Amino acid sequence: MASDFLEIIEVSPRDGIQNEQVLLSTGQKLDLIGRAIAAGLRRLEVTSFVNPARVPQMADADAVCAGLPGGAARHIGLTLNARGFQRAVAAGLDEANFVVVASETFNRRNQGVGTFDSIAALAGLKAEAPHSIALGVTIGAAFGCPFEGEVPLARLMQVVEGVMAQAPAELALADTIGVATPRDIAERVAAVRAAFPDVPLRLHLHNTRNTGIANAWAGIEAGVRRLDASLGGTGGCPFAPRATGNIATEDLVYMLDRSGIGTGVDLDAAIRAAEWLEAQLGHGVPGQVMKAGGFPAPRAA
Ligand code: ZN
């Protein structure tokens, strides 16, 4: 097996709360970000720059960015179009994550234009992007679409090729609706790595059908060293019917700790942050290790 460090990108401040009934305040979001950083997470998706009429949970994106702590962590903003990207630049973020959806129907529902229109928009902003901001791309619904069903590998690779022509800083494959299995992960990661061996690859996995953590392991075995996760297993997509949470950060940390793969994240601090987030949301969250605790149990002081 591979090298012994894996980077976790914490997405709870964005994906984790964007589908919740409870709207967290700007202060609560900054508290969440602070707790994640204190637990050792060093790269976070802090918000998305989207239409507040469609995603009211992200309406205070600019205020969140204005309140971010400096220093320890890299902050990412999700964008669907040129306007969102310009807001991410203006907010002074370290990175923007531009989304292109592998299926035509979902891309139109998510961002109002076709997949290759989004890639054309990516080309436009890549041309004018300042050096101060890294521009990565996530390909949504890379393993299946809620509207079209199966996304053929050949279609995914067409989209990957279109995106890679713009030389993104990183490429993420997202299982937006949690339909992938470990075999799908192995197949698609291998195909992308064969075609583009140099691009840093990242996976964004939802646990909708309980395959999330198995898929994470399949990704690691396939050579992926960047995984998205969300404290408490929170998450969902406002534009995908019946979407549910991301893989839980603390569950992933537990598995990796016990497997000898470092993350820099403190498991107990991550569990406490997940518990705090659960209390803010006012309902139980899916994470499992936060219910059972780590192993061996930390000795009482
Ligand atoms: Zn997601």
Side-chain angles (χ1 to χ4, degrees), residues 43 79 88 140 145 159 189 220 225 256 261 301:
R43 209 170 155 219
T79 68
C145 169
V159 175
V189 167
I220 292 165
R225 288 295 173 272
L256 296 176
I261 300 173

Side-chain angles (χ1 to χ4, degrees), residues 26-273:
T26 306
Q28 285 173 304
K29 292 175 185 178
L30 291 170
D31 199 344
L32 173 61
I33 290 164
R35 287 166 192 268
I37 293 172
L41 291 150
R42 288 293 174 268
R43 209 170 155 219
L44 299 94
E45 239 173 53
V46 293
T47 192
S48 62
F49 297 97
V50 291
N51 183 346
R54 297 190 74 199
V55 191
Q57 293 88 344
M58 297 290 120
D60 61 348
D62 301 295
V64 168
C65 293
L68 288 172
R74 285 179 68 77
H75 302 300
I76 310 169
L78 192 93
T79 68
L80 304 180
N81 49 41
R83 177 169 156 68
F85 177 71
Q86 283 146 13
R87 288 176 66 195
V89 172
L93 291 182
D94 303 298
E95 302 180 34
N97 182 10
F98 189 87
V99 178
V100 174
V101 186
S103 71
E104 191 71 14
T105 309
F106 196 172
N107 203 85
R108 288 190 185 279
R109 296 234 190 177
N110 205 48
Q111 38 235 71
V113 297
T115 300
F116 285 87
D117 299 322
S118 285
I119 292 174
L122 169 67
L125 49 94
K126 179 78 186 167
E128 61 190 47
H131 291 298
S132 59
I133 190 163
L135 178 55
V137 174
T138 289
I139 299 183
F143 299 88
C145 169
F147 309 109
E148 296 183 12
E150 301 282 7
V151 172
L153 177 59
R155 163 73 185 188
L156 174 66
M157 293 309 294
Q158 279 176 354
V159 175
V160 167
E161 281 160 23
V163 167
M164 286 304 299
Q166 303 311 319
E170 173 185 74
L171 182 69
L173 300 180
D175 186 16
T176 310
I177 57 168
V179 292
T181 64
R183 189 176 67 176
D184 300 327
I185 300 287
E187 175 193 58
R188 294 189 173 207
V189 167
V192 173
R193 280 169 63 91
F196 301 100
D198 298 327
V199 70
L201 255 191
R202 166 178 165 192
L203 286 175
H204 177 92
L205 302 170
H206 281 264
N207 194 37
T208 317
R209 292 171 179 80
N210 212 23
T211 55
I213 206 86
N215 289 342
W217 191 257
I220 292 165
E221 291 207 314
V224 173
R225 288 295 173 272
R226 303 174 182 210
L227 282 174
D228 289 8
S230 183
L231 287 163
T234 50
C237 174
F239 307 119
R242 298 188 295 279
T244 56
N246 293 274
I247 55 172
T249 305
E250 64 283 0
D251 292 9
L252 182 61
V253 169
Y254 172 80
M255 178 176 77
L256 296 176
D257 275 356
R258 298 277 292 170
S259 304
I261 300 173
T263 62
V265 180
D266 181 82
L267 178 62
D268 290 315
I271 289 173
R272 288 194 298 276

